[in-house]
Amino acid sequence: MGKALEGVRVLDMTHVQSGPSSTQILAWLGADVIKVETPGRGDITRGQLRDLPGVDSLYFTMLNGNKRSITLNMKSEEGKEIFTKLVSGVDILVENFGPGVVDRFGFSWEKLQEINEGLIYASIKGFGPGRYADFKAYEVIAQAMGGSMSTTGFEEGPPTATGAQIGDSGTGIHLVAAMLAALYQRTNTGRGQRVQVAMQDAVLNLCRVKLRDQQRLAHGPLGEYPNEVFGDEVPRSGNASGGGQPGWAVRCAPGGPNDYIYVIIQPVGWQPLTELLGQPELAEDPEWATPEARLSKLDKVFALVEQWTERHTKWEVMEKLNAHNIPCGPILSTKELIEDETLAELGTVVEIDHPERGKFKTVGCPLKLSDSPVDIGRSPLLGEHNGEVLSELGYATDDLERLRTAGVI
């Protein structure tokens, strides 16, 4: 059946995480993604957080698989000429530079449209137009300004960043949806368009339930939160589920830093849970039997659960709870995840062979298409595909040497 995005060509001018995470998904789905990098250095993450000297970092290799790399000096006239030829033959151009950088190269949106009227020009910025437009944004800044940090952590503690990269990779996934929508619309209109996602907007979209709760506060305290006092803004609520069914992370044996399991108590699960706890009488006790009765003392409810879970490992608890269809999930460490046999079998964690660093593990594609299986490939070496891509543009072998000598590639 081929790949889902076979035939789609993407010019990837992104760097660090937000942009590369989006173009890697396009590459996984079969698009030909050509990563344009600065000669001699490339994407800054090639050298950031290195664990092996002189070798592309895991930061880079885990965000740039299945792509081709070319180097191009965008400040040179011949570099701009090559870039023009590249733009004329691609479907999507993606960038996550600061505001106005591509324009300063001499390629405004109007100019790009002249070169290729069907081009989809996709950008990730920190913020949308307005007072924040020219501010720099990083992962945790986006979390801070998108509502995540103010609602993450425990009530008496400071605002806390989440380990999930919702500012960078979260924005990248939003951009994928926007690019595919524009690509689909082009099949009807024949026209390309500008596509932009702001990191602040993406984080706020992921935090929408907190805006839900902000408005609910006008009508009284949030009963499903463990907090005793409510002000005029949504508080940090620890490990509360924040949804319609109460949940909490409870300790398990032998008591290590990640020996916890998250348990959600649905109404239908209360009776079998009381049996596991060795207190079946609580299933009929009016002080405990209904969700309404339990809501005012969730701390006591989960204290009872924890008295039981502390006598078992999180894996034992998971088996016992799932046998009664009680929703739960052990807290998995990064070590447990990277060594998980099931995740390896599913292709959720995959092993890649890199020509310089050897074998390493990375995440697989989370998107599963029945007719378009994803093959996870390695990231390209800097400028590895200069000859290949430029030959496709009509450049001869002797042209390549001249361009290298001139510092164009």
Side-chain angles (χ1 to χ4, degrees):
M1 297 291 291
K3 301 294 185 183
L5 295 182
E6 190 170 315
V8 174
R9 301 195 78 194
V10 179
L11 200 56
D12 180 1
M13 300 184 71
T14 69
H15 58 290
V16 193
Q17 183 182 167
S18 63
S21 68
S22 68
T23 53
Q24 179 166 260
I25 290 177
L26 300 181
W28 279 342
L29 295 177
D32 177 17
V33 177
I34 302 169
K35 186 175 179 72
V36 180
E37 301 185 72
T38 305
R41 188 191 74 175
D43 188 323
I44 192 172
T45 59
R46 285 185 184 269
Q48 283 187 335
L49 306 177
R50 273 184 171 147
D51 56 322
L52 296 173
V55 175
D56 287 339
S57 72
L58 287 166
Y59 195 3
F60 177 85
T61 60
M62 294 176 72
L63 284 163
N64 290 282
N66 294 56
K67 303 177 185 180
R68 298 196 285 172
S69 168
I70 65 167
T71 51
L72 193 61
N73 182 355
M74 288 291 292
K75 295 179 180 178
S76 70
E77 288 307 311
E78 276 198 289
K80 292 177 181 178
E81 181 181 320
I82 292 170
F83 181 72
T84 300
K85 291 180 180 180
L86 285 167
V87 169
S88 67
V90 299
D91 300 286
I92 305 172
L93 185 157
V94 194
E95 57 91 13
N96 64 332
F97 294 117
V101 171
V102 178
D103 288 43
R104 291 197 291 274
F105 286 145
F107 293 92
S108 64
W109 168 228
E110 292 72 25
K111 175 68 173 178
L112 292 169
Q113 281 182 303
E114 289 176 12
I115 299 169
N116 181 351
E117 66 176 2
L119 181 70
I120 294 159
Y121 178 15
S123 302
I124 288 176
K125 302 302 175 194
F127 308 96
R131 63 181 294 194
Y132 309 130
D134 295 327
F135 292 7
K136 287 185 176 180
Y138 285 81
E139 168 65 45
V140 184
I141 292 174
Q143 290 191 31
M145 296 184 67
S148 178
M149 288 187 71
S150 68
T151 56
T152 301
F154 285 82
E155 187 173 20
E156 301 304 322
T160 305
T162 173
Q165 303 287 279
I166 61 175
D168 278 326
S169 288
T171 305
I173 293 168
H174 280 78
L175 188 68
V176 170
M179 290 187 290
L180 295 181
L183 197 62
Y184 180 78
Q185 186 172 11
R186 196 185 67 177
T187 63
N188 297 319
T189 66
R191 297 179 63 245
Q193 61 183 295
R194 285 296 308 263
V195 169
Q196 184 166 309
V197 179
M199 294 170 70
Q200 182 184 36
D201 295 356
V203 172
L204 187 55
N205 183 47
L206 296 173
C207 291
R208 69 172 67 188
V209 296
K210 299 302 181 181
L211 289 191
R212 172 201 69 189
D213 294 344
Q214 176 63 36
Q215 296 170 90
R216 291 173 61 222
L217 272 174
H219 306 287
L222 305 173
E224 74 282 5
Y225 280 58
N227 310 68
E228 294 183 3
V229 179
F230 289 87
D232 60 358
E233 56 191 25
V234 175
R236 291 185 278 284
S237 56
N239 288 321
S241 71
Q245 310 297 336
W248 200 256
V250 290
R251 285 189 293 267
C252 298
N258 288 301
D259 286 324
Y260 285 80
I261 190 166
Y262 198 87
V263 180
I264 289 179
I265 303 177
Q266 299 173 314
V268 71
W270 178 244
Q271 187 272 331
L273 183 58
T274 62
E275 293 184 9
L276 287 171
L277 301 181
Q279 301 187 61
E281 69 279 3
L282 296 181
E284 303 296 333
D285 186 334
E287 293 294 316
W288 297 85
T290 66
E292 293 75 22
R294 296 190 294 271
L295 192 60
S296 62
K297 50 176 175 285
L298 288 177
D299 55 340
K300 294 181 176 64
V301 172
F302 285 105
L304 288 175
V305 175
E306 192 168 73
Q307 287 174 15
W308 171 68
T309 59
E310 283 182 314
R311 302 196 301 269
H312 307 277
T313 69
K314 61 188 178 185
W315 301 106
E316 291 169 343
V317 174
M318 180 180 70
E319 293 293 335
K320 293 175 185 294
L321 292 180
N322 273 287
H324 294 279
N325 206 28
I326 298 171
C328 65
I331 309 304
L332 298 183
S333 70
T334 50
K335 183 177 187 296
E336 288 170 318
L337 288 167
I338 207 167
E339 295 175 354
D340 190 294
E341 293 181 2
T342 298
L343 296 183
E345 291 169 3
L346 293 173
T348 303
V349 175
V350 298
E351 188 170 74
I352 299 292
D353 200 359
H354 188 273
E356 293 182 344
R357 71 161 39 253
K359 294 184 184 297
F360 70 96
K361 290 185 178 182
T362 188
V363 295
C365 182
L367 312 180
K368 310 295 184 186
L369 284 69
S370 63
D371 289 347
S372 182
V374 173
D375 300 311
I376 306 296
R378 67 169 176 86
S379 61
L381 302 177
L382 180 60
E384 180 177 349
H385 301 95
N386 278 343
E388 186 175 292
V389 173
L390 291 180
S391 66
E392 292 168 4
L393 297 178
Y395 289 87
T397 303
D398 55 347
D399 292 325
L400 299 180
E401 189 56 40
R402 178 180 58 79
L403 292 169
R404 285 193 191 95
T405 302
V408 176
I409 60 174

